[in-house]
Amino acid sequence: MSSDPILEVENLVTQFQTEEGVVKAVDHNSFSLQRGEVLGIVGESGSGKSVTAMSIMGLIEHPGEIKAGEIRYNGEDLLSKSDAEMRAIRGNEIAMVFQDPMTALNPVYTVGSQIQRIIRKHTDTTKQAARERTIELLDDVGIPEAEARVDDYPHQFSGGMRQRVLIAMAISCDPEILIADEPTTALDVTIEAQIFELLDRLQEKYGMSIILITHDLGVVAETCDRVAVVYAGRIIERAAVDDLFESPRHPYTRGLMRSIPNLRSAVSRLTPIEGRIPDLSALPPGCSFHPRCVHATEECRQIDPGLRTVAPGREAACIHAQGYGPYETTTGVDGDGADAVASDGGVDDE
Ligand code: ADP
Ligand code: MG
């Protein structure tokens, strides 16, 4: 794959000092966003996805702290920027759509005035021009009769329309990168599909690069080019989306896939992964997924595998990654072959 990264995150460590101890929300993670691509970051709730986004945006606040690593935007080190410089970058260069469209809009101002305010804050624009641009943006994100709706208040919009307004706000200053953090969690599935279509269309129209954060691997299949799967603060698998769905290499990814309804077949099983993600201030020894993993061996309880190359272009943090067969949802058997792993156990690249 040709490499033209607009954003590079290297060995990022973001943690929170809490009464329970140090919460390692992002634990030595690296990934890059290529120009014009949609990168998915997927994982269960509490795995550090939003903290990753906030780290990129320069919005980590006490008791949080970026302890190590680098974040480079167009080659420039974002972690050495001043607050004023980061304020200029947010919106103009990197914009974010937040999870909850209810709380992100101010109920006492009209939808239009909130977008205009952002445009005028970031660019030298007359009031009239900002208003015209706002109507254009509302139209762009699929608000019908935008000119008539621009002076409405947020409560006059449905949830899906409010999310469209937030997307209009995010793209109002023509950012290079859009980070969408679970942009459809609050919406029903039909509206959800429309929002993803919208992001797709805007990505093409404006040539943006997008980071799409979600807990739903099904969403990734529909929208992303590449994906990073996170578990308990760490990236545990990275792959091109097609490769990932053809042969997921980490048992956690395989588990997430089993929990997608109707991925390839109407008869596929829906099986959530047993257990829950560990307390990030007290990770288990060895592989942090081992307590939930049906394939875990003694080694997994002791050795922290780290992200490693397991096949050409494929990385996973699992010492048994080479032992899993192709993924098959249609038969109701995922072909994981615990036997294959057992007989292959311990024989890997170490
Ligand atoms: P996700 O977005 O994947 O659901 P988050 O990135 O929001 O997860 O959170 C990752 C971890 O960081 C969680 O354990 C969460 O409790 C912790 N965390 C996030 N923000 C704070 C904070 N302000 N103070 C303490 N812990 C936090
Ligand atoms: Mg989140």
Side-chain angles (χ1 to χ4, degrees):
M1 175 185 186
S2 72
S3 171
D4 181 17
I6 187 162
L7 186 78
E8 296 162 285
V9 173
E10 237 170 78
N11 274 314
L12 182 68
V13 179
T14 307
Q15 47 192 40
F16 294 88
Q17 194 75 50
T18 69
E19 279 171 20
E20 284 73 45
V22 176
V23 172
K24 292 182 182 165
V26 179
D27 194 5
H28 292 94
N29 283 341
S30 304
F31 59 89
S32 65
L33 176 67
Q34 304 296 316
R35 217 170 287 275
E37 84 167 339
V38 182
L39 173 74
I41 298 182
V42 64
E44 287 165 294
S45 175
S47 47
K49 305 182 299 295
S50 294
V51 172
T52 301
M54 299 299 264
S55 301
I56 296 168
M57 297 293 286
L59 292 172
I60 296 294
E61 285 175 1
H62 183 80
E65 194 186 352
I66 294 180
K67 292 294 276 192
E70 283 180 47
I71 302 176
R72 286 188 300 275
Y73 167 70
N74 272 329
E76 277 184 62
D77 176 15
L78 290 189
L79 296 182
S80 66
K81 300 273 181 208
S82 67
D83 287 352
E85 287 170 325
M86 276 315 289
R87 267 198 300 279
I89 284 170
R90 279 194 296 272
N92 279 329
E93 310 286 339
I94 309 177
M96 187 160 164
V97 180
F98 293 90
Q99 206 157 336
D100 187 353
M102 269 316 261
T103 53
L105 286 170
N106 190 326
V108 306
Y109 295 107
T110 65
V111 160
S113 68
Q114 295 185 59
I115 301 177
Q116 282 170 57
R117 201 176 62 85
I118 293 180
I119 296 174
R120 298 199 69 198
K121 198 169 105 188
H122 287 275
T123 55
D124 188 16
T125 316
T126 64
K127 209 169 170 184
Q128 186 54 35
R131 185 181 166 85
E132 277 160 23
R133 175 80 183 121
T134 297
I135 293 168
E136 215 174 272
L137 280 164
L138 288 176
D139 187 53
D140 235 5
V141 298
I143 303 288
E145 296 173 65
E147 193 153 6
R149 303 301 302 266
V150 67
D151 297 317
D152 281 359
Y153 288 87
H155 76 263
Q156 294 171 281
F157 278 47
S158 67
M161 299 245 287
R162 276 195 291 261
Q163 193 53 284
R164 286 173 193 269
V165 170
L166 289 184
I167 293 170
M169 276 181 171
I171 64 168
S172 63
C173 298
D174 213 356
E176 296 286 320
I177 298 175
L178 182 68
I179 303 178
D181 188 359
E182 313 232 23
T184 59
T185 331
L187 307 173
D188 73 47
V189 284
T190 349
I191 310 295
E192 174 174 55
Q194 291 172 12
I195 296 289
F196 288 121
E197 270 165 39
L198 170 64
L199 285 176
D200 229 30
R201 189 166 61 69
L202 294 174
Q203 195 262 334
E204 270 188 26
K205 177 167 177 184
Y206 292 96
M208 289 181 297
S209 313
I210 296 183
I211 297 178
L212 179 65
I213 293 176
T214 174
H215 61 272
D216 183 348
L217 206 45
V219 164
V220 168
E222 300 291 325
T223 45
C224 299
D225 302 308
R226 285 189 310 133
V227 58
V229 184
V230 287
Y231 183 74
R234 293 203 185 156
I235 295 176
I236 52 88
E237 180 152 12
R238 271 196 311 213
V241 163
D242 292 348
D243 290 345
L244 189 89
F245 281 90
E246 197 180 301
S247 62
R249 288 291 170 177
H250 196 287
Y252 178 62
T253 313
R254 300 173 86 92
L256 286 181
M257 269 162 90
R258 276 191 294 275
S259 60
I260 305 174
N262 306 325
L263 177 57
R264 286 182 189 150
S265 142
V267 298
S268 70
R269 294 172 309 164
L270 228 190
T271 327
I273 309 170
E274 297 259 337
R276 44 189 297 210
I277 76 167
D279 179 347
L280 298 191
S281 63
L283 291 178
C287 168
S288 51
F289 186 61
H290 89 252
R292 299 173 74 183
C293 184
V294 293
H295 304 297
T297 58
E298 194 46 40
E299 267 182 298
C300 302
R301 290 180 259 279
Q302 288 165 17
I303 300 168
D304 177 354
L307 200 60
R308 55 179 71 194
T309 301
V310 295
R314 301 298 306 274
E315 289 164 294
C318 174
I319 60 176
H320 300 306
Q322 274 106 339
Y324 307 121
Y327 188 81
E328 194 49 76
T329 51
T330 48
T331 59
V333 178
D334 85 349
D336 259 5
D339 304 341
V341 171
S343 59
D344 201 33
V347 188
D348 63 35
D349 55 350
E350 278 191 325

